[in-house]
Amino acid sequence: MPDHPSPTKIPRVDEGRCHACRRCVARKVCRSKALVAIDPGEPPFVDGNRCYGCLACVPACPYEAIVV
Ligand code: SF4
Ligand code: SF4
């Protein structure tokens, strides 16, 4: 068994649910800075090259906008 999460567990931001919060708490919990926001008024997205699939961001988002 691998001791790290599978790369297939990389989540994505559901833009229909995302409120593009001024302070994205999901970004705050991401330790690898894989949640990237280009424009503060736009939903962030997951950079698959940085994300290691810990899924800490999923329960952190109050709007359940991060889905696997
Ligand atoms: S991912 Fe969640 S916490 Fe982050 S901006 Fe979107 S709704 Fe807000
Ligand atoms: S799964 Fe982990 S590494 Fe990937 S975006 Fe979410 S918090 Fe960051």
Side-chain angles (χ1 to χ4, degrees), residues 23-65:
R23 291 188 185 190
C24 173
V25 288
R27 288 185 69 208
K28 277 195 127 179
V29 301
C30 179
R31 292 167 68 178
S32 62
K33 304 215 187 303
L35 269 162
V36 182
I38 303 289
D39 184 325
E42 296 288 324
F45 65 90
V46 176
D47 179 346
N49 292 319
R50 289 185 172 187
C51 175
Y52 59 99
C54 71
L55 303 185
C57 54
V58 174
C61 172
Y63 297 105
E64 298 181 354

PDB file of all heavy atoms in Angstrom, residues 23-65:
ATOM      1  N   ARG A  23     -11.395  35.918   1.623  1.00  0.00           N
ATOM      2  CA  ARG A  23     -10.378  35.090   2.273  1.00  0.00           C
ATOM      3  C   ARG A  23     -10.796  33.640   2.128  1.00  0.00           C
ATOM      4  O   ARG A  23     -11.661  33.167   2.848  1.00  0.00           O
ATOM      5  CB  ARG A  23     -10.248  35.454   3.744  1.00  0.00           C
ATOM      6  CG  ARG A  23      -9.635  36.818   3.889  1.00  0.00           C
ATOM      7  CD  ARG A  23      -9.322  37.088   5.319  1.00  0.00           C
ATOM      8  NE  ARG A  23      -8.850  38.465   5.450  1.00  0.00           N
ATOM      9  CZ  ARG A  23      -8.309  38.943   6.556  1.00  0.00           C
ATOM     10  NH1 ARG A  23      -8.177  38.166   7.609  1.00  0.00           N
ATOM     11  NH2 ARG A  23      -7.897  40.179   6.612  1.00  0.00           N
ATOM     12  N   CYS A  24     -10.189  32.970   1.207  1.00  0.00           N
ATOM     13  CA  CYS A  24     -10.527  31.567   0.960  1.00  0.00           C
ATOM     14  C   CYS A  24      -9.871  30.713   2.047  1.00  0.00           C
ATOM     15  O   CYS A  24      -8.649  30.579   2.089  1.00  0.00           O
ATOM     16  CB  CYS A  24     -10.032  31.155  -0.423  1.00  0.00           C
ATOM     17  SG  CYS A  24     -10.228  29.403  -0.756  1.00  0.00           S
ATOM     18  N   VAL A  25     -10.690  30.168   2.933  1.00  0.00           N
ATOM     19  CA  VAL A  25     -10.130  29.370   4.029  1.00  0.00           C
ATOM     20  C   VAL A  25      -9.529  28.069   3.505  1.00  0.00           C
ATOM     21  O   VAL A  25      -8.613  27.512   4.093  1.00  0.00           O
ATOM     22  CB  VAL A  25     -11.178  29.083   5.127  1.00  0.00           C
ATOM     23  CG1 VAL A  25     -11.478  30.338   5.926  1.00  0.00           C
ATOM     24  CG2 VAL A  25     -12.446  28.508   4.557  1.00  0.00           C
ATOM     25  N   ALA A  26     -10.037  27.596   2.388  1.00  0.00           N
ATOM     26  CA  ALA A  26      -9.463  26.386   1.807  1.00  0.00           C
ATOM     27  C   ALA A  26      -8.015  26.638   1.365  1.00  0.00           C
ATOM     28  O   ALA A  26      -7.143  25.792   1.529  1.00  0.00           O
ATOM     29  CB  ALA A  26     -10.313  25.930   0.621  1.00  0.00           C
ATOM     30  N   ARG A  27      -7.771  27.804   0.842  1.00  0.00           N
ATOM     31  CA  ARG A  27      -6.397  28.138   0.443  1.00  0.00           C
ATOM     32  C   ARG A  27      -5.488  28.198   1.662  1.00  0.00           C
ATOM     33  O   ARG A  27      -4.321  27.836   1.592  1.00  0.00           O
ATOM     34  CB  ARG A  27      -6.365  29.491  -0.277  1.00  0.00           C
ATOM     35  CG  ARG A  27      -6.958  29.444  -1.663  1.00  0.00           C
ATOM     36  CD  ARG A  27      -6.776  30.768  -2.364  1.00  0.00           C
ATOM     37  NE  ARG A  27      -5.383  31.012  -2.689  1.00  0.00           N
ATOM     38  CZ  ARG A  27      -4.826  32.215  -2.809  1.00  0.00           C
ATOM     39  NH1 ARG A  27      -5.536  33.288  -2.584  1.00  0.00           N
ATOM     40  NH2 ARG A  27      -3.569  32.321  -3.126  1.00  0.00           N
ATOM     41  N   LYS A  28      -6.054  28.683   2.753  1.00  0.00           N
ATOM     42  CA  LYS A  28      -5.235  28.808   3.964  1.00  0.00           C
ATOM     43  C   LYS A  28      -4.766  27.464   4.491  1.00  0.00           C
ATOM     44  O   LYS A  28      -3.672  27.362   5.034  1.00  0.00           O
ATOM     45  CB  LYS A  28      -6.028  29.535   5.054  1.00  0.00           C
ATOM     46  CG  LYS A  28      -5.985  31.036   4.914  1.00  0.00           C
ATOM     47  CD  LYS A  28      -6.447  31.699   6.177  1.00  0.00           C
ATOM     48  CE  LYS A  28      -5.431  32.711   6.654  1.00  0.00           C
ATOM     49  NZ  LYS A  28      -5.867  33.389   7.881  1.00  0.00           N
ATOM     50  N   VAL A  29      -5.601  26.451   4.374  1.00  0.00           N
ATOM     51  CA  VAL A  29      -5.217  25.157   4.938  1.00  0.00           C
ATOM     52  C   VAL A  29      -4.312  24.364   3.991  1.00  0.00           C
ATOM     53  O   VAL A  29      -3.706  23.378   4.405  1.00  0.00           O
ATOM     54  CB  VAL A  29      -6.438  24.288   5.331  1.00  0.00           C
ATOM     55  CG1 VAL A  29      -7.310  25.009   6.351  1.00  0.00           C
ATOM     56  CG2 VAL A  29      -7.236  23.861   4.123  1.00  0.00           C
ATOM     57  N   CYS A  30      -4.238  24.774   2.741  1.00  0.00           N
ATOM     58  CA  CYS A  30      -3.407  24.019   1.802  1.00  0.00           C
ATOM     59  C   CYS A  30      -1.938  24.300   2.062  1.00  0.00           C
ATOM     60  O   CYS A  30      -1.468  25.424   1.910  1.00  0.00           O
ATOM     61  CB  CYS A  30      -3.752  24.386   0.365  1.00  0.00           C
ATOM     62  SG  CYS A  30      -2.713  23.486  -0.804  1.00  0.00           S
ATOM     63  N   ARG A  31      -1.228  23.269   2.460  1.00  0.00           N
ATOM     64  CA  ARG A  31       0.167  23.448   2.844  1.00  0.00           C
ATOM     65  C   ARG A  31       1.100  23.491   1.645  1.00  0.00           C
ATOM     66  O   ARG A  31       2.260  23.850   1.783  1.00  0.00           O
ATOM     67  CB  ARG A  31       0.569  22.333   3.804  1.00  0.00           C
ATOM     68  CG  ARG A  31      -0.158  22.468   5.131  1.00  0.00           C
ATOM     69  CD  ARG A  31      -0.040  21.241   5.968  1.00  0.00           C
ATOM     70  NE  ARG A  31       1.319  21.038   6.442  1.00  0.00           N
ATOM     71  CZ  ARG A  31       1.682  20.045   7.237  1.00  0.00           C
ATOM     72  NH1 ARG A  31       0.773  19.164   7.639  1.00  0.00           N
ATOM     73  NH2 ARG A  31       2.916  19.909   7.621  1.00  0.00           N
ATOM     74  N   SER A  32       0.622  23.096   0.495  1.00  0.00           N
ATOM     75  CA  SER A  32       1.514  23.121  -0.665  1.00  0.00           C
ATOM     76  C   SER A  32       1.151  24.241  -1.644  1.00  0.00           C
ATOM     77  O   SER A  32       1.639  24.264  -2.759  1.00  0.00           O
ATOM     78  CB  SER A  32       1.494  21.770  -1.375  1.00  0.00           C
ATOM     79  OG  SER A  32       0.208  21.491  -1.846  1.00  0.00           O
ATOM     80  N   LYS A  33       0.283  25.149  -1.188  1.00  0.00           N
ATOM     81  CA  LYS A  33      -0.142  26.283  -2.017  1.00  0.00           C
ATOM     82  C   LYS A  33      -0.632  25.822  -3.392  1.00  0.00           C
ATOM     83  O   LYS A  33      -0.332  26.418  -4.421  1.00  0.00           O
ATOM     84  CB  LYS A  33       0.981  27.311  -2.165  1.00  0.00           C
ATOM     85  CG  LYS A  33       1.519  27.828  -0.846  1.00  0.00           C
ATOM     86  CD  LYS A  33       1.912  29.284  -0.948  1.00  0.00           C
ATOM     87  CE  LYS A  33       2.616  29.790   0.312  1.00  0.00           C
ATOM     88  NZ  LYS A  33       1.769  29.598   1.508  1.00  0.00           N
ATOM     89  N   ALA A  34      -1.387  24.741  -3.365  1.00  0.00           N
ATOM     90  CA  ALA A  34      -1.906  24.190  -4.616  1.00  0.00           C
ATOM     91  C   ALA A  34      -3.219  24.832  -5.028  1.00  0.00           C
ATOM     92  O   ALA A  34      -3.648  24.659  -6.160  1.00  0.00           O
ATOM     93  CB  ALA A  34      -2.088  22.674  -4.471  1.00  0.00           C
ATOM     94  N   LEU A  35      -3.848  25.534  -4.104  1.00  0.00           N
ATOM     95  CA  LEU A  35      -5.061  26.264  -4.458  1.00  0.00           C
ATOM     96  C   LEU A  35      -4.630  27.657  -4.881  1.00  0.00           C
ATOM     97  O   LEU A  35      -4.133  28.440  -4.080  1.00  0.00           O
ATOM     98  CB  LEU A  35      -6.015  26.322  -3.265  1.00  0.00           C
ATOM     99  CG  LEU A  35      -7.026  25.171  -3.211  1.00  0.00           C
ATOM    100  CD1 LEU A  35      -7.606  25.048  -1.828  1.00  0.00           C
ATOM    101  CD2 LEU A  35      -8.130  25.365  -4.228  1.00  0.00           C
ATOM    102  N   VAL A  36      -4.852  27.932  -6.146  1.00  0.00           N
ATOM    103  CA  VAL A  36      -4.322  29.151  -6.741  1.00  0.00           C
ATOM    104  C   VAL A  36      -5.475  30.081  -7.105  1.00  0.00           C
ATOM    105  O   VAL A  36      -6.470  29.642  -7.692  1.00  0.00           O
ATOM    106  CB  VAL A  36      -3.512  28.801  -8.012  1.00  0.00           C
ATOM    107  CG1 VAL A  36      -2.906  30.057  -8.617  1.00  0.00           C
ATOM    108  CG2 VAL A  36      -2.433  27.783  -7.688  1.00  0.00           C
ATOM    109  N   ALA A  37      -5.332  31.351  -6.742  1.00  0.00           N
ATOM    110  CA  ALA A  37      -6.313  32.357  -7.146  1.00  0.00           C
ATOM    111  C   ALA A  37      -5.595  33.389  -7.995  1.00  0.00           C
ATOM    112  O   ALA A  37      -4.661  34.048  -7.545  1.00  0.00           O
ATOM    113  CB  ALA A  37      -6.950  32.994  -5.928  1.00  0.00           C
ATOM    114  N   ILE A  38      -6.017  33.504  -9.229  1.00  0.00           N
ATOM    115  CA  ILE A  38      -5.416  34.482 -10.143  1.00  0.00           C
ATOM    116  C   ILE A  38      -5.993  35.865  -9.856  1.00  0.00           C
ATOM    117  O   ILE A  38      -5.274  36.834  -9.693  1.00  0.00           O
ATOM    118  CB  ILE A  38      -5.719  34.103 -11.618  1.00  0.00           C
ATOM    119  CG1 ILE A  38      -5.229  32.689 -11.927  1.00  0.00           C
ATOM    120  CG2 ILE A  38      -5.100  35.122 -12.571  1.00  0.00           C
ATOM    121  CD1 ILE A  38      -3.746  32.521 -12.003  1.00  0.00           C
ATOM    122  N   ASP A  39      -7.320  35.902  -9.782  1.00  0.00           N
ATOM    123  CA  ASP A  39      -8.038  37.153  -9.579  1.00  0.00           C
ATOM    124  C   ASP A  39      -8.852  37.015  -8.294  1.00  0.00           C
ATOM    125  O   ASP A  39      -9.551  36.017  -8.118  1.00  0.00           O
ATOM    126  CB  ASP A  39      -8.964  37.364 -10.786  1.00  0.00           C
ATOM    127  CG  ASP A  39      -9.706  38.688 -10.753  1.00  0.00           C
ATOM    128  OD1 ASP A  39     -10.070  39.156  -9.649  1.00  0.00           O
ATOM    129  OD2 ASP A  39      -9.938  39.255 -11.832  1.00  0.00           O
ATOM    130  N   PRO A  40      -8.790  37.981  -7.367  1.00  0.00           N
ATOM    131  CA  PRO A  40      -9.516  37.866  -6.098  1.00  0.00           C
ATOM    132  C   PRO A  40     -11.021  37.686  -6.270  1.00  0.00           C
ATOM    133  O   PRO A  40     -11.670  37.105  -5.424  1.00  0.00           O
ATOM    134  CB  PRO A  40      -9.209  39.193  -5.393  1.00  0.00           C
ATOM    135  CG  PRO A  40      -7.986  39.721  -6.053  1.00  0.00           C
ATOM    136  CD  PRO A  40      -7.969  39.189  -7.448  1.00  0.00           C
ATOM    137  N   GLY A  41     -11.576  38.138  -7.375  1.00  0.00           N
ATOM    138  CA  GLY A  41     -13.013  37.993  -7.585  1.00  0.00           C
ATOM    139  C   GLY A  41     -13.414  36.692  -8.253  1.00  0.00           C
ATOM    140  O   GLY A  41     -14.586  36.468  -8.512  1.00  0.00           O
ATOM    141  N   GLU A  42     -12.442  35.860  -8.529  1.00  0.00           N
ATOM    142  CA  GLU A  42     -12.717  34.614  -9.241  1.00  0.00           C
ATOM    143  C   GLU A  42     -12.470  33.418  -8.325  1.00  0.00           C
ATOM    144  O   GLU A  42     -11.646  33.491  -7.410  1.00  0.00           O
ATOM    145  CB  GLU A  42     -11.785  34.491 -10.457  1.00  0.00           C
ATOM    146  CG  GLU A  42     -12.006  35.561 -11.519  1.00  0.00           C
ATOM    147  CD  GLU A  42     -13.289  35.360 -12.284  1.00  0.00           C
ATOM    148  OE1 GLU A  42     -13.660  34.201 -12.532  1.00  0.00           O
ATOM    149  OE2 GLU A  42     -13.934  36.376 -12.611  1.00  0.00           O
ATOM    150  N   PRO A  43     -13.144  32.301  -8.563  1.00  0.00           N
ATOM    151  CA  PRO A  43     -12.877  31.105  -7.772  1.00  0.00           C
ATOM    152  C   PRO A  43     -11.431  30.647  -7.944  1.00  0.00           C
ATOM    153  O   PRO A  43     -10.858  30.800  -9.035  1.00  0.00           O
ATOM    154  CB  PRO A  43     -13.828  30.061  -8.350  1.00  0.00           C
ATOM    155  CG  PRO A  43     -14.894  30.849  -9.043  1.00  0.00           C
ATOM    156  CD  PRO A  43     -14.219  32.089  -9.542  1.00  0.00           C
ATOM    157  N   PRO A  44     -10.839  30.111  -6.899  1.00  0.00           N
ATOM    158  CA  PRO A  44      -9.499  29.543  -7.044  1.00  0.00           C
ATOM    159  C   PRO A  44      -9.585  28.219  -7.808  1.00  0.00           C
ATOM    160  O   PRO A  44     -10.673  27.697  -8.052  1.00  0.00           O
ATOM    161  CB  PRO A  44      -9.061  29.308  -5.593  1.00  0.00           C
ATOM    162  CG  PRO A  44     -10.328  29.091  -4.851  1.00  0.00           C
ATOM    163  CD  PRO A  44     -11.371  29.930  -5.539  1.00  0.00           C
ATOM    164  N   PHE A  45      -8.449  27.716  -8.174  1.00  0.00           N
ATOM    165  CA  PHE A  45      -8.434  26.389  -8.799  1.00  0.00           C
ATOM    166  C   PHE A  45      -7.288  25.583  -8.210  1.00  0.00           C
ATOM    167  O   PHE A  45      -6.366  26.125  -7.600  1.00  0.00           O
ATOM    168  CB  PHE A  45      -8.323  26.490 -10.323  1.00  0.00           C
ATOM    169  CG  PHE A  45      -7.023  27.083 -10.817  1.00  0.00           C
ATOM    170  CD1 PHE A  45      -5.936  26.268 -11.093  1.00  0.00           C
ATOM    171  CD2 PHE A  45      -6.897  28.458 -10.990  1.00  0.00           C
ATOM    172  CE1 PHE A  45      -4.744  26.815 -11.546  1.00  0.00           C
ATOM    173  CE2 PHE A  45      -5.709  29.018 -11.432  1.00  0.00           C
ATOM    174  CZ  PHE A  45      -4.628  28.192 -11.711  1.00  0.00           C
ATOM    175  N   VAL A  46      -7.369  24.284  -8.404  1.00  0.00           N
ATOM    176  CA  VAL A  46      -6.340  23.405  -7.858  1.00  0.00           C
ATOM    177  C   VAL A  46      -5.259  23.185  -8.916  1.00  0.00           C
ATOM    178  O   VAL A  46      -5.547  22.748 -10.032  1.00  0.00           O
ATOM    179  CB  VAL A  46      -6.944  22.048  -7.433  1.00  0.00           C
ATOM    180  CG1 VAL A  46      -5.843  21.105  -6.945  1.00  0.00           C
ATOM    181  CG2 VAL A  46      -7.987  22.258  -6.333  1.00  0.00           C
ATOM    182  N   ASP A  47      -4.045  23.517  -8.545  1.00  0.00           N
ATOM    183  CA  ASP A  47      -2.895  23.247  -9.401  1.00  0.00           C
ATOM    184  C   ASP A  47      -2.478  21.791  -9.176  1.00  0.00           C
ATOM    185  O   ASP A  47      -1.929  21.439  -8.134  1.00  0.00           O
ATOM    186  CB  ASP A  47      -1.761  24.204  -9.035  1.00  0.00           C
ATOM    187  CG  ASP A  47      -0.507  23.987  -9.874  1.00  0.00           C
ATOM    188  OD1 ASP A  47      -0.413  22.937 -10.542  1.00  0.00           O
ATOM    189  OD2 ASP A  47       0.374  24.855  -9.848  1.00  0.00           O
ATOM    190  N   GLY A  48      -2.787  20.978 -10.160  1.00  0.00           N
ATOM    191  CA  GLY A  48      -2.529  19.547 -10.036  1.00  0.00           C
ATOM    192  C   GLY A  48      -1.056  19.191  -9.898  1.00  0.00           C
ATOM    193  O   GLY A  48      -0.720  18.103  -9.444  1.00  0.00           O
ATOM    194  N   ASN A  49      -0.173  20.111 -10.262  1.00  0.00           N
ATOM    195  CA  ASN A  49       1.257  19.837 -10.121  1.00  0.00           C
ATOM    196  C   ASN A  49       1.736  20.045  -8.694  1.00  0.00           C
ATOM    197  O   ASN A  49       2.784  19.529  -8.312  1.00  0.00           O
ATOM    198  CB  ASN A  49       2.062  20.745 -11.055  1.00  0.00           C
ATOM    199  CG  ASN A  49       1.832  20.395 -12.505  1.00  0.00           C
ATOM    200  OD1 ASN A  49       1.774  19.219 -12.859  1.00  0.00           O
ATOM    201  ND2 ASN A  49       1.669  21.398 -13.343  1.00  0.00           N
ATOM    202  N   ARG A  50       0.979  20.821  -7.926  1.00  0.00           N
ATOM    203  CA  ARG A  50       1.377  21.079  -6.540  1.00  0.00           C
ATOM    204  C   ARG A  50       0.584  20.247  -5.550  1.00  0.00           C
ATOM    205  O   ARG A  50       1.051  19.963  -4.459  1.00  0.00           O
ATOM    206  CB  ARG A  50       1.155  22.554  -6.210  1.00  0.00           C
ATOM    207  CG  ARG A  50       2.127  23.479  -6.890  1.00  0.00           C
ATOM    208  CD  ARG A  50       1.895  24.885  -6.403  1.00  0.00           C
ATOM    209  NE  ARG A  50       2.924  25.794  -6.881  1.00  0.00           N
ATOM    210  CZ  ARG A  50       3.027  27.052  -6.492  1.00  0.00           C
ATOM    211  NH1 ARG A  50       2.174  27.534  -5.620  1.00  0.00           N
ATOM    212  NH2 ARG A  50       3.981  27.809  -6.955  1.00  0.00           N
ATOM    213  N   CYS A  51      -0.634  19.915  -5.932  1.00  0.00           N
ATOM    214  CA  CYS A  51      -1.526  19.207  -5.007  1.00  0.00           C
ATOM    215  C   CYS A  51      -1.016  17.795  -4.774  1.00  0.00           C
ATOM    216  O   CYS A  51      -0.666  17.090  -5.711  1.00  0.00           O
ATOM    217  CB  CYS A  51      -2.925  19.167  -5.606  1.00  0.00           C
ATOM    218  SG  CYS A  51      -4.099  18.204  -4.646  1.00  0.00           S
ATOM    219  N   TYR A  52      -0.982  17.395  -3.512  1.00  0.00           N
ATOM    220  CA  TYR A  52      -0.586  16.028  -3.201  1.00  0.00           C
ATOM    221  C   TYR A  52      -1.740  15.215  -2.633  1.00  0.00           C
ATOM    222  O   TYR A  52      -1.548  14.154  -2.042  1.00  0.00           O
ATOM    223  CB  TYR A  52       0.644  15.987  -2.298  1.00  0.00           C
ATOM    224  CG  TYR A  52       0.501  16.687  -0.977  1.00  0.00           C
ATOM    225  CD1 TYR A  52       0.220  15.965   0.186  1.00  0.00           C
ATOM    226  CD2 TYR A  52       0.662  18.058  -0.882  1.00  0.00           C
ATOM    227  CE1 TYR A  52       0.084  16.612   1.398  1.00  0.00           C
ATOM    228  CE2 TYR A  52       0.534  18.707   0.322  1.00  0.00           C
ATOM    229  CZ  TYR A  52       0.243  17.974   1.465  1.00  0.00           C
ATOM    230  OH  TYR A  52       0.103  18.633   2.660  1.00  0.00           O
ATOM    231  N   GLY A  53      -2.952  15.729  -2.803  1.00  0.00           N
ATOM    232  CA  GLY A  53      -4.131  14.929  -2.494  1.00  0.00           C
ATOM    233  C   GLY A  53      -4.418  14.706  -1.027  1.00  0.00           C
ATOM    234  O   GLY A  53      -5.043  13.713  -0.665  1.00  0.00           O
ATOM    235  N   CYS A  54      -4.016  15.634  -0.158  1.00  0.00           N
ATOM    236  CA  CYS A  54      -4.268  15.451   1.275  1.00  0.00           C
ATOM    237  C   CYS A  54      -5.738  15.662   1.612  1.00  0.00           C
ATOM    238  O   CYS A  54      -6.218  15.191   2.627  1.00  0.00           O
ATOM    239  CB  CYS A  54      -3.400  16.403   2.088  1.00  0.00           C
ATOM    240  SG  CYS A  54      -3.902  18.139   1.946  1.00  0.00           S
ATOM    241  N   LEU A  55      -6.444  16.394   0.765  1.00  0.00           N
ATOM    242  CA  LEU A  55      -7.874  16.683   0.897  1.00  0.00           C
ATOM    243  C   LEU A  55      -8.227  17.519   2.124  1.00  0.00           C
ATOM    244  O   LEU A  55      -9.391  17.561   2.535  1.00  0.00           O
ATOM    245  CB  LEU A  55      -8.709  15.384   0.868  1.00  0.00           C
ATOM    246  CG  LEU A  55      -8.523  14.516  -0.384  1.00  0.00           C
ATOM    247  CD1 LEU A  55      -9.478  13.338  -0.360  1.00  0.00           C
ATOM    248  CD2 LEU A  55      -8.700  15.320  -1.660  1.00  0.00           C
ATOM    249  N   ALA A  56      -7.257  18.200   2.689  1.00  0.00           N
ATOM    250  CA  ALA A  56      -7.541  19.086   3.827  1.00  0.00           C
ATOM    251  C   ALA A  56      -8.447  20.235   3.413  1.00  0.00           C
ATOM    252  O   ALA A  56      -9.216  20.755   4.220  1.00  0.00           O
ATOM    253  CB  ALA A  56      -6.230  19.634   4.392  1.00  0.00           C
ATOM    254  N   CYS A  57      -8.383  20.623   2.147  1.00  0.00           N
ATOM    255  CA  CYS A  57      -9.176  21.757   1.673  1.00  0.00           C
ATOM    256  C   CYS A  57     -10.659  21.414   1.573  1.00  0.00           C
ATOM    257  O   CYS A  57     -11.497  22.304   1.646  1.00  0.00           O
ATOM    258  CB  CYS A  57      -8.654  22.202   0.310  1.00  0.00           C
ATOM    259  SG  CYS A  57      -8.579  20.861  -0.907  1.00  0.00           S
ATOM    260  N   VAL A  58     -10.975  20.147   1.401  1.00  0.00           N
ATOM    261  CA  VAL A  58     -12.370  19.764   1.135  1.00  0.00           C
ATOM    262  C   VAL A  58     -13.287  20.124   2.310  1.00  0.00           C
ATOM    263  O   VAL A  58     -14.272  20.846   2.117  1.00  0.00           O
ATOM    264  CB  VAL A  58     -12.464  18.268   0.762  1.00  0.00           C
ATOM    265  CG1 VAL A  58     -13.925  17.830   0.622  1.00  0.00           C
ATOM    266  CG2 VAL A  58     -11.709  18.001  -0.539  1.00  0.00           C
ATOM    267  N   PRO A  59     -12.994  19.692   3.544  1.00  0.00           N
ATOM    268  CA  PRO A  59     -13.867  20.087   4.659  1.00  0.00           C
ATOM    269  C   PRO A  59     -13.663  21.542   5.082  1.00  0.00           C
ATOM    270  O   PRO A  59     -14.502  22.089   5.797  1.00  0.00           O
ATOM    271  CB  PRO A  59     -13.460  19.123   5.778  1.00  0.00           C
ATOM    272  CG  PRO A  59     -12.058  18.753   5.465  1.00  0.00           C
ATOM    273  CD  PRO A  59     -11.957  18.758   3.963  1.00  0.00           C
ATOM    274  N   ALA A  60     -12.565  22.169   4.658  1.00  0.00           N
ATOM    275  CA  ALA A  60     -12.286  23.545   5.084  1.00  0.00           C
ATOM    276  C   ALA A  60     -13.212  24.543   4.410  1.00  0.00           C
ATOM    277  O   ALA A  60     -13.559  25.567   4.992  1.00  0.00           O
ATOM    278  CB  ALA A  60     -10.834  23.894   4.783  1.00  0.00           C
ATOM    279  N   CYS A  61     -13.623  24.266   3.201  1.00  0.00           N
ATOM    280  CA  CYS A  61     -14.483  25.221   2.474  1.00  0.00           C
ATOM    281  C   CYS A  61     -15.886  25.197   3.060  1.00  0.00           C
ATOM    282  O   CYS A  61     -16.533  24.142   3.075  1.00  0.00           O
ATOM    283  CB  CYS A  61     -14.535  24.866   0.990  1.00  0.00           C
ATOM    284  SG  CYS A  61     -15.759  25.869   0.105  1.00  0.00           S
ATOM    285  N   PRO A  62     -16.385  26.337   3.525  1.00  0.00           N
ATOM    286  CA  PRO A  62     -17.709  26.375   4.146  1.00  0.00           C
ATOM    287  C   PRO A  62     -18.849  26.171   3.151  1.00  0.00           C
ATOM    288  O   PRO A  62     -19.980  25.927   3.557  1.00  0.00           O
ATOM    289  CB  PRO A  62     -17.767  27.763   4.786  1.00  0.00           C
ATOM    290  CG  PRO A  62     -16.783  28.591   4.018  1.00  0.00           C
ATOM    291  CD  PRO A  62     -15.697  27.644   3.570  1.00  0.00           C
ATOM    292  N   TYR A  63     -18.564  26.255   1.879  1.00  0.00           N
ATOM    293  CA  TYR A  63     -19.619  26.119   0.866  1.00  0.00           C
ATOM    294  C   TYR A  63     -19.554  24.787   0.120  1.00  0.00           C
ATOM    295  O   TYR A  63     -20.235  24.605  -0.883  1.00  0.00           O
ATOM    296  CB  TYR A  63     -19.540  27.278  -0.126  1.00  0.00           C
ATOM    297  CG  TYR A  63     -19.781  28.622   0.536  1.00  0.00           C
ATOM    298  CD1 TYR A  63     -18.720  29.494   0.781  1.00  0.00           C
ATOM    299  CD2 TYR A  63     -21.055  29.005   0.933  1.00  0.00           C
ATOM    300  CE1 TYR A  63     -18.930  30.711   1.410  1.00  0.00           C
ATOM    301  CE2 TYR A  63     -21.282  30.222   1.558  1.00  0.00           C
ATOM    302  CZ  TYR A  63     -20.210  31.074   1.793  1.00  0.00           C
ATOM    303  OH  TYR A  63     -20.412  32.282   2.415  1.00  0.00           O
ATOM    304  N   GLU A  64     -18.724  23.914   0.588  1.00  0.00           N
ATOM    305  CA  GLU A  64     -18.565  22.596  -0.051  1.00  0.00           C
ATOM    306  C   GLU A  64     -18.286  22.756  -1.551  1.00  0.00           C
ATOM    307  O   GLU A  64     -18.821  22.015  -2.383  1.00  0.00           O
ATOM    308  CB  GLU A  64     -19.792  21.724   0.190  1.00  0.00           C
ATOM    309  CG  GLU A  64     -19.994  21.445   1.669  1.00  0.00           C
ATOM    310  CD  GLU A  64     -21.191  20.555   1.970  1.00  0.00           C
ATOM    311  OE1 GLU A  64     -21.953  20.224   1.047  1.00  0.00           O
ATOM    312  OE2 GLU A  64     -21.331  20.177   3.144  1.00  0.00           O
ATOM    313  N   ALA A  65     -17.462  23.741  -1.843  1.00  0.00           N
ATOM    314  CA  ALA A  65     -17.165  24.027  -3.241  1.00  0.00           C
ATOM    315  C   ALA A  65     -15.984  23.213  -3.765  1.00  0.00           C
ATOM    316  O   ALA A  65     -15.718  23.241  -4.961  1.00  0.00           O
ATOM    317  CB  ALA A  65     -16.872  25.514  -3.417  1.00  0.00           C
TER     318      ALA A  65
END
